[in-house]
Amino acid sequence: MVSSNPLFRGTWTARKFQATVINDIWPEVAFFTLVATMVVLVSEKTSKDLSISNQLLTVLGTVLGLVISFRTSSAYERYQDGRKMWTNIISASRNLAQQIWVHIPVDRTGKGAAAETTQLQNIIEKKTMINLILAFAVSVKHFLRDEPGVYYEDLYPLICFLPKYPSGMEGVESEKLPLWQEEESVNHRHANAPVTELGADSSSRASTRRGSSGVSDPEKAFPDVASDRPLKPARNPPETSILDYIPLLRFFKWVVRKVTRSARPKGRGKKRRQNEYVESHIPLEIILTLSNYTAWTMRNGLLQPAIATGVTANLTLLQDTLSNLERICNTPLPFAYQAHLRMSLWLYLFFLPFQIEKAFTWITIPGTAFASFLLLGFLEIGQEIENPFNYDLNDLDLDYFCQAIQRELHLITAHTAPSPSDFVFSNLNQPFAPADRRTAQQLIATGDVYTHPTEPSMQGFDSLRRTLVKGWKQVNTLSRQ
C-alpha cells in the first residue's frame, strides 16, 4: 500500500500478515531448520560426524548474496517505475483537464459549425471529455489487473454513452465496435439477466464489493445509468483461503487435481473450439476518442495552436505511459533465472548446517533458521513486488490513485473561469501590502495616477516603483526576524 503501513491500519486480522513474506517462506524456513536439527542431533548424540568442510561457504555465500541483491533491486526498480508511471498519469490528467476546461471556449460565436451549440451544450461537452480522462485512468487500473471488459461499477458509467455500433449498423450484435467486445465465456451467465440500475439497491452493491470499509463508497459519486448486464465491483480481489497461509497445501491440491483429471473419461474425436475472441484495448480506445475530440476542436478553431500542442503532448504522454506500464506488467523476470536462483539458494541452505555444525554446535539450529529467513525473505520480496499492480498489500494502491484523479478533476471543473475584473478590484484585495495597505477599490478611487498616502509629492510610476521596493525591504526584514 502507498498511504500507510498495512499492519497497523484498520481492524487487526490474520490477513495483515500477508503484508509480510512470513506466510510464503515459513514452510521453507521450517524445513531447513529441521535439517539443521537433524544434523546437530546426529553429530552430537551419535558417533557419526556429518560436518563437512566450510571452504566454499564464504565464496558461495558472497556470490549468492550479490545475485539475490540484484534480484531484489531489479524488482524494486520495477515497483518504482510503476509508481512513476502513475505519477505521469495523474499529472497529465490534471493538465489535460485544465486545458480542456479553461482554454476551450464556452461562447463559440463566429466559430463556424461549432457556433450552433448553446453554452449549456458546450459545458456538457467539456465535462464529458474530462470524465473520459478519469475513465482512462480507471481502465488502465483494470487493464493492469487483467480484468477485461468495461462492465465495472467505476468504468461503465463513464463510457456507457460512447457509440456501440458503426454508423448504420445499430443492433447488429456481431458488428459491435471493439470497445464493447467482451468474451462470451465470461458473461454468458448474465445473458438473460434483467437490466440493473446502479444506485437502485445500494445495499446489495455494497455487499458485493470486496475490500469496502463500509464508510467510504467512491462508486456512489459516479453516474447512475442502466446496464444490459450486472456490473462487476470496482475492486475485486481474490478470496483469501487457507492456501495463502499454508503454501505447502498447494502441492497436495495440485496432486488431487491431477489424479481427479486422470480419472475422468477422455472424449474421443472432439477438439476444443478455438476462441476467436480478441480483447479490446480499452485505454487505447479512450485515448482515440480524446484525440478525435482534440482534432475536432482544432478544425473548428476552438484551440489556440500553443494550447493544442500542449493537449496533444499530454495525450501522447498518457499513451506512452500506458505502453511503459504494459511493459512492466507483461515482462517478468525470465523463469530460468528465477528457478536457477531458487534452486541454488535451496542447495546452499541445505548444506549450510553441515558446514557450520563443528564450529557452532547447538547454535547451528537458530543460525540456520535465521539465515533461511533472511535469504528466502529477500528472494520472496523480489518476487512479490515484481508486478506491483495486483491486490497484494504491498502493491501500489491503484484505487487510491484513481480516486485522487477523480477528486482533482471535479475540483478543476468546479472552477468557474471568472474574468479577472470580477475579483481583482475587490475590497479584500491589498495588492501593494505591506508598503501600502489600501485596498484595490481605494486605489482605483484615487484616480489613474498612483500616489503614496504618506508621500503625496511623489506621483505616477516612480512612486509606484518606490512603494514596491519599500514593500520588498519590509518583507525581507520581517521574514528574517
Side-chain angles (χ1 to χ4, degrees):
M1 288 294 203
V2 175
S3 54
S4 62
N5 189 334
L7 285 177
F8 302 101
R9 186 185 66 236
T11 306
W12 179 264
T13 61
R15 189 176 181 271
K16 297 286 186 178
F17 279 105
Q18 290 186 328
T20 67
V21 293
I22 297 177
N23 289 342
D24 299 312
I25 67 173
W26 74 262
E28 297 169 283
V29 173
F31 172 75
F32 292 116
T33 304
L34 289 176
V35 172
T37 303
M38 181 270 296
V39 172
V40 172
L41 289 176
V42 172
S43 300
E44 296 295 327
K45 298 298 184 181
T46 66
S47 59
K48 298 290 183 180
D49 185 9
L50 299 181
S51 62
I52 59 178
S53 175
N54 61 356
Q55 295 180 358
L56 293 178
L57 180 64
T58 304
V59 177
L60 294 180
T62 303
V63 173
L64 198 60
L66 291 175
V67 176
I68 293 176
S69 175
F70 169 75
R71 171 73 176 92
T72 307
S73 299
S74 62
Y76 184 73
E77 183 179 358
R78 294 163 61 90
Y79 186 92
Q80 284 294 95
D81 285 344
R83 182 62 181 95
K84 292 176 182 177
M85 293 303 106
W86 271 97
T87 301
N88 290 342
I89 290 180
I90 294 174
S91 177
S93 298
R94 292 172 182 165
N95 296 336
L96 188 58
Q98 177 181 339
Q99 289 163 344
I100 291 176
W101 188 251
V102 175
H103 293 283
I104 295 180
V106 174
D107 185 6
R108 300 176 182 177
T109 305
K111 298 296 184 180
E116 300 177 358
T117 55
T118 64
Q119 292 189 6
L120 177 59
Q121 291 175 329
N122 298 336
I123 294 176
I124 292 173
E125 167 200 301
K126 296 198 298 181
K127 186 63 170 68
T128 300
M129 293 302 158
I130 291 177
N131 288 344
L132 285 181
I133 299 174
L134 173 60
F136 171 81
V138 174
S139 65
V140 170
K141 177 190 73 173
H142 290 294
F143 175 78
L144 295 176
R145 289 175 172 174
D146 195 21
E147 297 171 344
V150 298
Y151 293 95
Y152 298 94
E153 293 179 350
D154 57 344
L155 178 59
Y156 180 80
L158 298 173
I159 63 175
C160 59
F161 53 85
L162 295 178
K164 293 188 177 182
Y165 303 96
S167 179
M169 295 185 179
E170 288 76 4
V172 183
E173 188 69 21
S174 61
E175 298 297 337
K176 272 188 176 181
L177 292 174
L179 179 65
W180 302 100
Q181 298 289 341
E182 189 167 356
E183 189 172 9
E184 293 182 0
S185 61
V186 177
N187 297 287
H188 76 277
R189 63 182 180 274
H190 301 315
N192 299 320
V195 174
T196 301
E197 283 195 24
L198 292 178
D201 188 358
S202 59
S203 60
S204 62
R205 291 171 55 210
S207 63
T208 60
R209 188 177 300 110
R210 302 175 200 155
S212 177
S213 62
V215 177
S216 62
D217 192 359
E219 284 69 50
K220 287 184 178 179
F222 290 102
D224 292 336
V225 295
S227 171
D228 56 354
R229 62 186 64 178
L231 301 181
K232 290 169 277 189
R235 178 177 172 82
N236 192 22
E239 294 284 358
T240 303
S241 65
I242 192 175
L243 301 179
D244 297 314
Y245 303 100
I246 309 179
L248 192 62
L249 296 180
R250 296 174 184 172
F251 173 76
F252 298 101
K253 181 181 178 181
W254 176 80
V255 171
V256 171
R257 186 168 61 247
K258 287 293 183 181
V259 172
T260 306
R261 184 178 301 176
S262 61
R264 295 175 183 172
K266 298 181 179 180
R268 297 181 179 179
K270 295 182 179 180
K271 292 184 178 181
R272 187 177 180 180
R273 183 174 62 87
Q274 281 189 335
N275 186 9
E276 299 177 354
Y277 161 70
V278 178
E279 181 183 350
S280 171
H281 203 307
I282 297 172
L284 181 58
E285 295 264 350
I286 296 175
I287 285 291
L288 289 174
T289 303
L290 291 171
S291 299
N292 180 67
Y293 175 69
T294 304
W296 178 84
T297 56
M298 293 179 187
R299 289 194 302 268
N300 289 276
L302 300 179
L303 277 179
Q304 298 295 329
I307 303 301
T309 302
V311 172
T312 304
N314 284 311
L315 287 174
T316 304
L317 178 59
L318 288 177
Q319 194 161 351
D320 292 344
T321 302
L322 174 62
S323 300
N324 289 326
L325 287 172
E326 189 174 4
R327 169 183 58 82
I328 296 172
C329 184
N330 297 333
T331 312
L333 201 68
F335 174 77
Y337 183 92
Q338 299 185 53
H340 186 75
L341 178 58
R342 188 169 290 274
M343 288 188 293
S344 301
L345 181 57
W346 284 349
L347 290 174
Y348 175 82
L349 293 175
F350 182 82
F351 289 106
L352 178 63
F354 293 91
Q355 300 179 71
I356 65 175
E357 190 278 332
K358 181 174 291 186
F360 294 97
T361 60
W362 292 100
I363 303 179
T364 301
I365 299 175
T368 302
F370 177 74
S372 303
F373 177 81
L374 185 68
L375 297 177
L376 289 170
F378 279 118
L379 187 63
E380 197 65 34
I381 289 171
Q383 184 171 346
E384 181 169 341
I385 67 175
E386 186 178 17
N387 184 0
F389 306 123
N390 292 321
Y391 290 102
D392 295 333
L393 292 176
N394 287 302
D395 288 338
L396 296 173
D397 196 344
L398 305 188
D399 298 278
Y400 171 79
F401 297 153
C402 291
Q403 291 166 16
I405 294 175
Q406 180 185 14
R407 291 191 297 268
E408 292 168 358
L409 296 187
H410 279 271
L411 174 64
I412 291 173
T413 55
H415 181 67
T416 58
S419 173
S421 60
D422 294 340
F423 57 88
V424 169
F425 307 112
S426 169
N427 195 36
L428 302 175
N429 181 25
Q430 298 180 0
F432 301 140
D436 187 351
R437 296 190 178 275
R438 290 180 293 179
T439 66
Q441 285 187 357
Q442 292 172 341
L443 290 170
I444 294 299
T446 60
D448 295 336
V449 180
Y450 176 81
T451 303
H452 195 278
T454 61
E455 299 177 0
S457 59
M458 293 290 294
Q459 296 182 349
F461 285 103
D462 292 336
S463 178
L464 179 58
R465 293 191 184 98
R466 186 172 180 178
T467 300
L468 295 176
V469 172
K470 185 178 180 181
W472 164 75
K473 289 182 179 179
Q474 292 182 6
V475 170
N476 194 38
T477 301
L478 293 173
S479 62
R480 293 179 183 272
Q481 291 178 352

